[in-house]
Amino acid sequence: MYQAVIFDLDGVICHTDSYHYKAWKFIADKIGATFNETINGKLRGVGRLDSLDIILKESGICHLSPNEKAFLAEAKNDYYLHLLDYMAPQDLDESVLRTLRDLKNIGIKIAIGSSSKNAKRILEKLEIINMFDAISDGTNISHAKPNPEVFTKAAEMLGVLPSCSLVVEDAISGVEAASRGGFDSAGLGDAKSHPNVTFQLSNFEDLIGIVR
Ligand code: BG6
Ligand code: MG
């Protein structure tokens, strides 16, 4: 049914979404901004500076200069990178590794479609970077999700049409991007509630049944 599966990274392949949460919480506490799971959900799939703007808007903080915002976004990334230092292959769920292997074994191409500029570093830490046929991430796009660019680029790298590819996402913005780009999608967590999501995933392994 599908020739390729394009995976979001944070919150789909691995649990780095919780590292993003910790890093933003650290920054929010420093500047007296409110931060919780609901606000964090709005940051899924959204780039660094846009994420900061969402946090500031939620607390009505509007006096920061572009330089101050850049400083805070950089500080968040430094904290996040520090958390990544401790990542190792054991942090990858068995079910994820097994599913990636099974997809490859049945001839499905697999790619990463992530807004993150740290995607390759994470894949190296997990020792799965060589499994992917293409990696499209924050370093090769001009527009973050919900713009479909990151997925369109991944499909181009794979040489597969969007209509023959399935996107796997945990973010509302990611399902929106998939939908705008003409991709079907499988949603986990928050992403399941998007009206355009094609499949609602309860378990990662259910992907095998969907693509066959
Ligand atoms: C996404 C995460 O994968 O990457 C977002 O879901 C994050 O929470 C985004 O903000 C971009 O990351 P960065 O810091 O590399 O711009
Ligand atoms: Mg995600």
Side-chain angles (χ1 to χ4, degrees):
M1 189 176 175
Y2 295 103
Q3 294 170 11
V5 181
I6 304 172
F7 293 92
D8 173 50
L9 181 65
D10 298 312
V12 169
I13 294 288
C14 54
H15 304 294
T16 37
D17 51 332
S18 68
Y19 297 177
H20 282 294
Y21 181 96
K22 274 187 196 154
W24 280 126
K25 177 82 176 110
F26 173 74
I27 297 297
D29 286 350
K30 281 235 175 286
I31 60 174
T34 307
F35 193 68
N36 53 37
E37 280 297 348
T38 310
I39 299 172
N40 187 54
K42 297 180 184 175
L43 311 185
R44 288 180 191 273
V46 178
R48 218 173 286 174
L49 277 169
D50 288 341
S51 294
L52 178 64
D53 278 338
I54 292 171
I55 294 169
L56 296 175
K57 199 171 163 206
E58 289 284 338
S59 290
I61 299 172
C62 47
H63 62 275
L64 296 183
S65 70
N67 275 350
E68 285 168 322
K69 287 187 191 180
F71 176 83
L72 290 174
E74 195 60 33
K76 179 266 174 179
N77 194 51
D78 287 346
Y79 191 105
Y80 177 71
L81 290 180
H82 178 65
L83 296 174
L84 288 187
D85 279 346
Y86 299 93
M87 254 192 129
Q90 301 89 270
D91 291 314
L92 186 68
D93 284 356
E94 254 306 306
S95 62
V96 171
L97 186 59
R98 202 168 42 239
T99 304
L100 295 177
R101 283 193 181 131
D102 288 351
L103 287 170
K104 287 183 75 89
N105 285 339
I106 59 173
I108 303 286
K109 290 184 181 177
I110 60 172
I112 292 291
S114 164
S115 308
S116 174
K117 295 184 178 69
N118 298 307
K120 292 192 181 95
R121 182 192 291 243
I122 294 166
L123 295 168
E124 274 164 6
K125 286 266 176 194
L126 296 174
E127 296 182 3
I128 52 170
I129 193 160
N130 294 326
M131 289 186 83
F132 291 91
D133 301 296
I135 296 170
S136 174
D137 63 17
T139 64
N140 62 256
I141 55 168
S142 312
H143 309 286
K145 302 166 190 175
N147 189 293
E149 185 182 11
V150 74
F151 298 136
T152 308
K153 291 254 167 76
E156 274 170 23
M157 289 176 194
L158 294 173
V160 174
L161 290 171
S163 57
C164 300
S165 313
L166 179 72
V167 163
V168 187
E169 264 292 349
D170 70 320
I172 297 279
S173 64
V175 174
E176 181 65 27
S179 169
R180 288 190 202 172
F183 297 84
D184 280 357
S185 58
L188 291 158
D190 286 5
K192 283 202 260 192
S193 64
H194 193 292
N196 292 355
V197 76
T198 320
F199 304 99
Q200 295 181 330
L201 274 188
S202 303
N203 299 300
F204 200 86
E205 292 106 318
D206 294 346
L207 276 175
I208 296 293
I210 290 174
V211 300
R212 264 194 218 273

